[in-house]
Amino acid sequence: MIPRTLHAVLDGVSAGALMFAPRLLGWPRHLTEPMFLAGAGVAAYSLVTRYRDDAAGLIGMNEHRALDAAQGAAFCVAATRADASPGVRRTLAAYGLFSLAAAALTQGEHPVRRMGRQVRLPADALVAAGQMGVAAEVAPGLAYLRLGIVNAVFIGPRGAGDRGWILVDAGLPGTAHVIEAAAARRFGAAARPRAIVMTHGHFDHVGALETLANRWDVPVYAHPEERPYLDGSRSYPPAAPEAGGGLMARLAPLYPRRPVNVGPRLHDLSSDGSIPGVESWCWLHTPGHAPGHISLWRESDGALISGDAVITTRQEGAYAVALQKPEMHGPPAYFTPDWAAARASVRRLATLNPKLVVAGHGRPAAGPKVAPALALLAEDFDEVAVPCGSRYAPTA
Ligand SMILES: [Zn+2]
Ligand SMILES: [Zn+2]
């Protein structure tokens, strides 16, 4: 077996040799150029490879080995066809066989359990599929707006008017006009919110925040521990693309981690749990996914706005995200650095026995099957929600 660290060294040597050795050896030009490109290709996919389980990188060792094998096979084919001397053809064949051997003999990656379905949610637990661009009412005075892969939430009765409602979270970058139009449609033309409340500051929840806060001239409320990520002073820890095994997780290193800055408008939520302007709701600290993550709770009808503490689709996979396949799911794995806190938060939310869950990702879920599904997720959290093999998982 070739250890992965040795494989990394061989990749570096191969890339350099492919790029420069043919020129030094005086091979004809119609061979040096493709060889140089092949070497650059090896260098490129090597640079984005995770040679260690805890390293950053877009592709794992198994994908890397597949690329090595494909490259090796291509060289073997080239050796039989190249318009070159027998010595050059032998060299091409030898390199091709070397690549195939390296692919076959290198250790695979530490097996990362692909996150399957966590806790099933029956289709009849889902409420209103939000029409794109229109907020769907899911309970009195509560509507959600689907913005592609993420949701924003409106609190306040229809026709609430200027300063008569609250926005929870602010979607992806570029969605300010969609949120504004949906708000105007629900609350009245040019109706500004009284406040924007942030469940947390991840990029897919703060995308339109600066634009909307300025345009509406509105205060922004968040948990004090989330403040550094909203006033521009601190970035979130690196993503864990190895967590969850789906495309959305793999791409996570590309997601922005830099904080937005709404500092001058930013206020700490009151420690008494109240939310300014809405008596019926309170906030709960639900850290883990982010240190200052909060959820919003309305006791009177058991409505829970869970943010990313609990979500209702498998956010790690692009297919599940596109179709919003329903399930009760722990926080998006690739962006969750503290699993012990995340577990405690889910357990706390489960004790509320919510009748309606409006999450940051996925369609809202309501009815008698919601609380049992959440209870099951809380109970089996370590087995179903915590990704093994993630750099942040408590047991690797
Ligand atoms: Zn998040
Ligand atoms: Zn999110």
Side-chain angles (χ1 to χ4, degrees):
M1 272 291 163
I2 301 172
R4 285 176 285 173
T5 42
L6 174 59
H7 190 110
V9 173
L10 294 176
D11 283 331
V13 173
S14 303
L18 290 171
M19 286 163 78
F20 304 112
R23 285 188 205 190
L24 295 175
L25 295 172
W27 286 16
R29 208 164 152 189
H30 75 274
L31 289 174
T32 57
E33 282 181 1
M35 293 289 281
F36 184 88
L37 289 176
V42 172
Y45 71 73
S46 298
L47 284 172
V48 296
T49 298
R50 296 188 299 278
Y51 289 105
R52 291 191 329 257
D53 289 330
D54 59 348
L58 273 183
I59 63 171
M61 206 57 218
N62 291 342
E63 283 123 334
H64 181 105
R65 289 163 66 209
L67 289 167
D68 282 346
Q71 190 222 162
F75 267 90
C76 290
V77 172
T80 65
R81 302 200 169 173
D83 165 22
S85 67
V88 166
R89 292 164 74 134
R90 264 198 301 279
T91 307
L92 294 177
Y95 178 77
L97 292 172
F98 160 76
S99 280
L100 286 170
L105 296 177
T106 298
Q107 290 170 345
E109 59 207 300
H110 190 85
V112 172
R113 186 185 65 198
R114 199 185 153 76
M115 294 200 97
R117 179 177 269 178
Q118 296 192 359
V119 176
R120 228 177 78 78
L121 261 183
D124 65 1
L126 293 181
V127 290
Q131 217 182 319
M132 281 292 182
V134 180
E137 181 151 289
V138 291
L142 178 61
Y144 94 105
L145 176 65
R146 181 180 174 188
L147 297 159
I149 62 161
V150 70
N151 302 323
V153 182
F154 293 144
I155 296 178
R158 221 181 269 281
D162 198 32
R163 305 300 191 200
W165 57 282
I166 279 182
L167 173 68
V168 180
D169 287 354
L172 288 167
T175 57
H177 62 287
V178 183
I179 297 174
E180 226 175 1
R185 194 169 160 148
R186 179 171 172 84
F187 299 116
R192 296 165 300 173
R194 177 175 178 146
I196 301 176
V197 176
M198 299 306 302
T199 62
H200 64 305
H202 281 155
F203 82 100
D204 49 340
H205 298 250
V206 300
L209 181 61
E210 287 173 286
T211 307
L212 289 175
N214 291 331
R215 209 174 281 170
W216 283 333
D217 185 25
V218 67
V220 177
Y221 287 87
H223 190 277
E225 286 186 54
E226 209 63 7
R227 175 173 277 277
Y229 311 105
L230 294 167
D231 69 5
S233 56
R234 201 187 302 160
S235 295
Y236 283 105
E242 66 278 12
L247 182 64
M248 300 295 283
R250 290 283 161 78
L251 294 176
L254 304 177
Y255 302 158
R257 292 189 286 120
R258 298 251 310 272
V260 291
N261 186 358
V262 289
R265 299 184 188 280
L266 187 60
H267 300 264
D268 290 346
L269 283 160
S270 162
S271 57
D272 65 7
S274 64
I275 295 169
V278 273
E279 260 105 75
S280 48
W281 289 86
C282 67
W283 64 267
L284 308 161
H285 189 203
T286 45
H289 180 63
H293 189 286
I294 62 152
S295 302
L296 286 77
W297 170 241
R298 185 165 67 183
E299 176 106 60
S300 59
D301 67 342
L304 173 67
I305 300 170
S306 60
D308 284 359
V310 167
I311 58 177
T312 49
T313 194
R314 192 175 81 87
Q315 190 67 14
E316 295 83 13
Y319 181 69
V321 165
L323 295 182
Q324 295 209 301
K325 287 168 75 177
E327 64 176 61
M328 199 59 84
H329 193 98
Y334 48 84
F335 256 179
T336 301
D338 185 344
W339 286 99
R343 176 182 55 215
S345 292
V346 170
R347 292 194 170 155
R348 182 175 183 198
L349 293 177
T351 62
L352 301 172
N353 283 316
K355 297 194 171 59
L356 165 68
V357 174
V358 183
H361 304 275
R363 276 168 61 182
K369 289 165 182 161
V370 168
L374 181 57
L376 202 58
L377 178 68
E379 198 182 308
D380 294 347
F381 191 82
D382 289 347
E383 290 79 55
V384 302
V386 179
C388 58
S390 162
R391 72 192 69 191
Y392 296 121
T395 47

